[in-house]
Amino acid sequence: MNKDSKPHDGGSTTRAQFATRLGVIATTVGSAVGLGNIWRFPYEAGSHGGGAFMLCYVFFIFIIGIPVICAEFIMGRGTHSNIIGAYRKLAPGKPWYWAGYMGILASILILSFYSVVAGWTLEYFIQSVSGNLDLGSTAAFHDRFESFASSNYRPALFALLFLAVNYLILRRGVTAGIERMSNILMPVLFLLLLIFCINSLMMPGADEGLRFLFKPDFSAITPTVLLGAMGQAFFSLSLGLGCMATYASYFNHRTQLARSATLTASLDTLVAVLAGVMIFPAVFTFGFSPSAGPTLVFEVLPSILHSLPGGIVWSSLFFFLLILASLTSTISMSEISIAFIIEEKKMDRRKATALNTCVAMVLATLCALSFGCLSGMTIFGMTLFNLFDYLSSNILLPLGGMVCSFFVGWIADRAFVRSQLTNGGTLRLRAMRVIIFCIRWIAPVCIAIVFLNSIGFIN
Ligand code: PFF
């Protein structure tokens, strides 16, 4: 953000702006790239048939993801408001702003289980640095993770520690430091992923791993796979809850919305694919089960890292960068409710941040314990951790995305939408008609079909 302008100083009319074009891309990609790519994508793909999931995921990214990012960008940059304020400004007196509240609920649920996984990363970083992750056998990695995740206090403690760091960064309202750091370090994460991919491609299980990930079995495309892939596309792009709209409210009038949306989606997808290429050859080489669920990556990763010479250094660096990538994502999801509380409830930034963190800390503790003493507490057959994940990613985000694209496509003023896409008519955007068509028709209709299909309404 521009150093000269203070973000949300409690009622001030000057809002912060991202200073450069690189700043815009770095922050939106920073939000999108995180545990969703490296932890969630491989385990979702693994438990939904690999290639079939991958195909649906990439399809949804381009056919729904990019238009919905554009829709969120239009709302945010066009109103310079938090998500609820944006709905209110564009449709005064109408109840559309309820979609904004749904987004805030989703952001809190995600923050809660996300910080548990970030806490696992923190634990693994500490274990790496102290040389304790060097276990040798596949079974040992599995047992180590099981006993850690199900222990009663460590996972909760690390989740709380992570939330405390998130709080300290957000409280100052100046995320410039972390943004600058991530601008420099994210390319390093990317480079590491590439190196690990090459290493995985030389493993004996590489062929089987690549076949699993890239060769779709069309008969495996079921309603559950479609819903899972759509949920993953939304989760990975930080979409459907107002995060991209909130960030776009800090864009300036020169930011090219459609181009930024396409670049963000492409880079995010590239990172997810690389994570898949890194994980699956190792899954088959070391004899893990691809459908192990949320714990998959934390069992497989140490095996990959330790198959490299100088494993301790690689794994310490990797887990450190993963923590940073998680922070740039949690900062963005926290900003949705913080911007709302500051602007609509007129609270100062510190109090708003504290409120957001306190709620997340309570829920995160429950999520962390759902691998241990609360594992027997299930709702609809899911532990709290799984329930929060399923409810937000597979239901709330796509629903939020559907409302947002419908709203921008049909309710918001047409001239306003065009003017946002073309920066007041100064840009010649050849794809404008296609984008508007996707926002009005393709995205809402596709999301509705996947929903109806998953509840057995359409077959
Ligand atoms: N897109 C992030 C990831 O893939 O890790 C997760 C996320 C960030 C979801 C911000 C939602 C959000 F608002």
Side-chain angles (χ1 to χ4, degrees):
M1 279 180 207
N2 196 335
K3 270 194 266 153
D4 305 334
S5 43
K6 261 174 132 190
H8 303 120
D9 44 3
S12 148
T13 48
T14 45
R15 290 183 109 243
Q17 276 189 358
F18 296 132
T20 59
R21 212 160 72 187
L22 179 70
V24 166
I25 292 301
T27 42
T28 52
V29 173
S31 168
V33 171
L35 292 167
N37 308 62
I38 290 161
W39 157 74
R40 200 175 187 281
F41 173 76
Y43 99 68
E44 280 284 323
S47 39
H48 288 112
F53 180 91
M54 176 73 148
L55 185 72
C56 301
Y57 170 72
V58 173
F59 175 77
F60 287 135
I61 289 276
F62 288 96
I63 203 87
I64 302 179
I66 294 177
V68 180
I69 306 186
C70 287
E72 283 208 22
F73 279 179
I74 290 169
M75 286 186 70
R77 209 263 305 260
T79 59
H80 291 298
S81 288
N82 65 87
I83 183 65
I84 289 176
Y87 275 113
R88 283 212 174 107
K89 276 189 187 168
L90 294 173
K94 305 262 171 58
W96 288 99
Y97 63 88
W98 276 100
Y101 282 113
M102 196 171 74
I104 288 181
L105 171 68
S107 74
I108 300 282
L109 293 181
I110 296 177
L111 185 58
S112 313
F113 72 81
Y114 201 91
S115 43
V116 173
V117 185
W120 297 345
T121 316
L122 210 55
E123 156 86 7
Y124 269 56
F125 169 67
I126 292 169
Q127 296 291 346
S128 289
V129 173
S130 53
N132 286 336
L133 212 59
D134 209 354
L135 301 172
S137 79
T138 303
F141 285 123
H142 175 77
D143 294 345
R144 159 67 72 91
F145 187 78
E146 282 274 300
S147 72
F148 161 66
S150 59
S151 80
N152 275 336
Y153 78 97
R154 276 181 81 88
L157 193 74
F158 281 110
L160 296 182
L161 198 64
F162 179 83
L163 280 170
V165 174
N166 187 56
Y167 167 76
L168 289 176
I169 296 168
L170 277 162
R171 192 187 66 162
R172 303 185 56 198
V174 186
T175 54
I178 190 94
E179 270 162 28
R180 213 169 302 134
M181 196 149 83
S182 69
N183 285 356
I184 300 166
L185 290 176
M186 282 310 104
V188 182
L189 179 70
F190 190 78
L191 209 72
L192 278 192
L193 270 180
L194 274 180
I195 295 172
F196 298 162
C197 281
I198 295 170
N199 178 54
S200 288
L201 289 174
M202 290 186 319
M203 291 180 179
D207 278 354
E208 205 178 342
L210 292 182
R211 226 176 303 122
F212 177 78
L213 187 62
F214 292 113
K215 196 155 177 269
D217 166 9
F218 290 95
S219 67
I221 302 182
T222 60
T224 318
V225 170
L226 284 170
L227 186 67
M230 184 170 77
Q232 175 60 25
F234 274 89
F235 186 88
S236 195
L237 295 176
S238 314
L239 213 53
L241 68 173
C243 177
M244 287 297 170
T246 305
Y247 265 11
S249 71
Y250 306 124
F251 291 178
N252 66 31
H253 63 279
R254 284 187 309 277
T255 305
Q256 302 189 18
L257 302 187
R259 185 198 272 189
S260 308
T262 313
L263 198 57
T264 302
S266 309
L267 287 173
D268 183 63
T269 308
L270 183 63
V271 176
V273 173
L274 285 181
V277 173
M278 165 178 83
I279 294 290
F280 286 106
V283 164
F284 289 99
T285 303
F286 296 108
F288 289 99
S289 157
S291 54
T295 58
L296 175 74
V297 172
F298 282 88
E299 292 172 12
V300 180
L301 255 179
S303 332
I304 300 175
L305 297 167
H306 284 276
S307 68
L308 287 158
I312 291 182
V313 179
W314 290 114
S315 61
S316 307
L317 188 60
F318 185 74
F319 285 119
F320 175 71
L321 293 173
L322 204 50
I323 294 168
L324 267 188
S326 316
L327 268 173
T328 52
S329 297
T330 49
I331 286 170
S332 72
M333 69 185 89
S334 309
E335 190 66 25
I336 308 170
S337 45
I338 293 173
F340 159 71
I341 299 171
I342 294 171
E343 289 172 9
E344 306 287 318
K345 303 291 167 203
K346 308 287 178 242
M347 215 184 252
D348 70 34
R349 186 164 188 100
R350 284 182 179 211
K351 284 198 191 125
T353 311
L355 184 62
N356 174 272
T357 306
C358 286
V359 177
M361 280 184 159
V362 174
L363 295 177
T365 307
L366 295 176
C367 285
L369 295 180
S370 73
F371 287 88
C373 62
L374 294 184
S375 63
M377 189 175 134
T378 56
I379 302 172
F380 303 123
M382 287 180 255
T383 61
L384 276 185
F385 181 99
N386 289 338
L387 179 74
F388 284 11
D389 185 355
Y390 185 86
L391 190 67
S392 51
S393 314
N394 288 8
I395 312 286
L396 294 176
L397 302 193
L399 202 60
M402 184 164 84
V403 176
C404 172
S405 57
F406 183 86
F407 181 82
V408 170
W410 298 94
I411 309 294
D413 180 43
R414 275 195 150 198
F416 161 81
V417 171
R418 277 165 197 254
S419 151
Q420 282 305 317
L421 282 173
T422 58
N423 291 355
T426 57
L427 263 182
R428 268 198 60 217
L429 184 64
R430 261 180 274 141
M432 185 159 78
R433 280 168 170 239
V434 180
I435 294 172
I436 292 183
F437 180 76
C438 288
I439 293 177
R440 302 187 95 197
W441 290 101
I442 306 284
V445 170
C446 270
I447 299 170
I449 291 176
V450 177
F451 271 141
L452 293 174
N453 193 17
S454 71
I455 54 173
F457 223 74
I458 315 177
N459 279 313

